[in-house]
């Protein structure tokens, strides 16, 4: 089949109609004259169809059982394929009739394609299902419609020797026309990254960087593509990504090293953000200064200062962070909170003798260490809070003069007080001149160490049953309510404890069970000790009937119970008192007389 000529500009609809009318007239004339059917052709076929331009081949296109269109697609199989696949202009319903656009029998030089817009350059490509937009709209038809780009199944059905004369056979995939500069690494969906406006107009929202060797994570995900993929910059079209410094400069001026060796940024930072650093306390343990105790919770910037005074800016880098602060002594970072109290004492100034890295407070200065000072802590002193005595703002003790001398800690290391009375109030109101430790110990102020033996030094030694009597039964001030603290400026001072007892005689504490029987004669007759001992009131162990009465007990009288002769009698206010005086000494007062015998 000879190659058809390239389509040329059509003569227009008027010319097509005239040719058709002329052909129909010739056919009618021939029929009317009775000539043979071979003479009915309205005119020569176009060059593309000239092989069928003989009388014996009319029914190749003109069939009694099929329409003209059916005969067309039977020969033009590429059109049949397009319609079946529902692709392209020929699959549209308004282009179902072939003859509407491709008339024939108008001569060998007749153009078979009738362009509605007048020429292929003005053809509305969107009717094919593939609108020309962006850069495609500026491309000439012949640049795309070439045999090399005809890769669809329809292409092999085209019968033309030079397929470039056909507008069919192109695929819609980018790679069917364009070479893949990525060599298949990113698949065939070019439009997921590129726009039709221009190859370099990228649509980053569609590009899946996860499929590359460098997935974009953290802050990298927000970076504009051109910031990294810029051929005009040092890193070129395909930037390195094995190390951070391939793109990023060193903000620490070479000071960021690990174990003495330069470290990549990823050792201390991650892609979520440059700040904060990911350098942990555990990682710090490998440095020259492991972080322990309270130091583990300190913010990095508290030690690694930003642009500190006295340090050359060039040595800090663009980050301006001091990477190697001094750490040989506590004082390299911490001020002296104790003022001048330890001046000239290097050991004390080293801090570690009293403090550790767990916390500045409480100090490690223990009770055992305090024992090596001039004031060993004993008893309740060992349980007292340090600041109760050493704080310049102590509440219950006398204020310490010139508190500013003791530094920011406000801690007086050597308070002046040593004697008990310098810290504690005297609840005895000066009655006792002896030292506190004679009666009290550091273990507790109450109970006192003043026992029965110590009471023997007082005006009233404790003897007999008095030894078991509770102190408060005689010393009523022990029953008074008062504060528990004995400190000099306590908010609630203790109750006064003078221990003064006005009366020293028995009747000062004990009731008289004998009424007024012994009110006379002399005072000695009223003395309880004449009849009673201090061990027990009954029996009256010191009473002697022969010595102390006018009726000595002799003979059988010795075995008579006391109550037989000394009954209880009513006394004032309904009380009953045993009669010891006023008992008749006569025999008949007790014995009944019968005859001469009793």
């Amino acid at each position: 089949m000879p190659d058809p000529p390239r389509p040329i500009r059509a003569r227009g609809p008027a010319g097509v109609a005239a040719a058709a009318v002329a052909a129909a007239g010739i056919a009618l004339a021939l029929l009317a004259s009775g000539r043979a059917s071979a003479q009915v052709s309205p005119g020569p076929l176009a060059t593309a169809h000239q092989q069928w331009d003989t009388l014996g081949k009319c029914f190749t296109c003109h069939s009694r059982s099929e329409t003209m269109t059916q005969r067309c697609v039977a020969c033009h199989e590429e059109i049949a394929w397009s319609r079946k696949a529902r692709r392209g202009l020929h699959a549209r319903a308004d282009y179902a009739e072939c003859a509407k656009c491709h008339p024939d029998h108008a001569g060998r030089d007749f153009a078979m394609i009738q362009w509605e817009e007048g020429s292929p350059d003005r053809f509305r490509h969107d009717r094919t299902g593939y609108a020309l937009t962006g850069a495609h709209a500026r491309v000439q038809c012949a640049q795309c419609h070439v045999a090399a780009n005809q890769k669809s199944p329809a292409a092999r059905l085209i019968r033309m020797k030079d397929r470039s004369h056909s507008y069919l056979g192109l695929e819609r995939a980018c790679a069917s026309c364009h070479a893949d500069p990525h060599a298949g690494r990113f698949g065939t969906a070019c439009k997921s990254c590129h726009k039709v406006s221009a190859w370099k107009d990228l649509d980053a929202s569609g590009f899946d960087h996860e499929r590359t060797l460098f997935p974009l994570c953290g802050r990298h995900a927000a970076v504009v593509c051109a910031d990294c993929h810029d051929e005009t910059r040092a890193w070129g079209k395909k930037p390195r990504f094995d190390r951070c410094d391939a793109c990023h400069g060193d903000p620490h001026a070479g000071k960021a090293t690990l174990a003495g060796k330069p470290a990549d940024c990823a050792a201390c930072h991650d892609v979520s953000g440059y700040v904060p650093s990911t350098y942990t306390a555990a990682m710090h343990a490998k440095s020259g200064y492991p972080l322990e105790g309270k130091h583990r919770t300190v913010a990095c910037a508290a030690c690694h200062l930003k642009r500190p005074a006295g340090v050359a800016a060039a040595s800090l880098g663009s980050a301006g962070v001091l990477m190697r602060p001094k750490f040989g002594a506590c004082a390299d970072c911490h001020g002296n909170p104790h003022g001048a109290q330890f001046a000239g004492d290097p050991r004390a100034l080293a801090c570690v003798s009293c403090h550790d890295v767990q916390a500045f407070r409480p100090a490690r200065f223990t009770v055992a260490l305090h024992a090596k000072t001039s004031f060993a802590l004993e008893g309740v002193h060992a349980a007292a809070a340090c600041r109760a005595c050493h704080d310049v703002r102590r509440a219950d003790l006398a204020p310490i003069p010139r508190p500013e001398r003791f530094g920011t800690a406000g801690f007086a290391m050597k308070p002046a007080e040593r004697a008990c009375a310098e810290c504690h109030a005297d609840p005895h109101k000066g009655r006792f001149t002896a030292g506190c430790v004679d009666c009290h110990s550091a273990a507790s102020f109450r109970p006192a160490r003043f026992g029965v033996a110590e009471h023997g030094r007082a005006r009233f030694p404790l003897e007999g049953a008095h030894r078991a009597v509770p102190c408060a039964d005689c010393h009523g001030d022990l029953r008074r309510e008062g504060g528990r603290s004995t400190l000099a400026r306590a908010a609630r001072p203790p109750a006064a404890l003078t221990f003064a007892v006005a009366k020293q005689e028995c009747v000062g504490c004990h009731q008289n069970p004998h009424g007024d029987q012994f009110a006379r004669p002399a005072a000695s007759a009223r003395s309880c000790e004449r009849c009673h001992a201090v061990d027990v009131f009954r029996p009256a162990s010191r009473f002697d009937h022969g010595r102390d009465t006018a009726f000595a007990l002799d003979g059988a009288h010795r075995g008579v119970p006391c109550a037989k002769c000394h009954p209880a009698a009513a006394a004032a206010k309904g009380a009953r008192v045993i009669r010891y005086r006023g008992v008749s000494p006569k025999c008949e007062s007790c014995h009944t007389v019968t005859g001469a015998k009793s």
Side-chain angles (χ1 to χ4, degrees), residues 17 33 65 164 227 290 361 441 456 525 528:
S33 63
S65 60
S164 61
D227 284 353
R361 296 178 181 175
S441 72
C528 302

Side-chain angles (χ1 to χ4, degrees), residues 3-69:
D3 291 339
R6 291 283 292 180
I8 61 174
R9 183 179 178 91
R11 298 171 182 171
V16 173
V21 171
I26 294 172
L28 290 173
L30 291 172
L31 288 172
S33 63
R35 297 181 64 181
S37 60
Q39 301 298 320
V40 297
S41 174
L45 295 176
T47 302
H49 293 158
Q50 65 181 341
Q51 61 177 315
W52 292 290
D53 198 6
T54 61
L55 293 179
K57 295 183 179 180
C58 294
F59 294 105
T60 302
C61 298
H62 303 281
S63 172
R64 295 186 179 89
S65 60
E66 293 180 308
T67 65
M68 177 73 72
T69 295

Side-chain angles (χ1 to χ4, degrees), residues 480-530:
R480 295 174 186 165
E481 288 292 331
R484 299 298 297 175
S485 175
T486 64
L487 293 176
R489 297 168 64 90
R492 190 182 181 200
L497 298 173
T498 63
F499 294 104
V501 179
K503 297 179 180 180
Q504 303 292 318
E505 299 175 353
C506 300
V507 293
C509 296
H510 302 280
Q511 291 182 343
N512 181 4
H514 303 309
D516 59 355
Q517 296 180 74
F518 304 112
R520 287 180 177 81
S524 61
R526 300 196 303 270
S527 176
C528 302
E529 293 93 334
R530 184 176 180 86

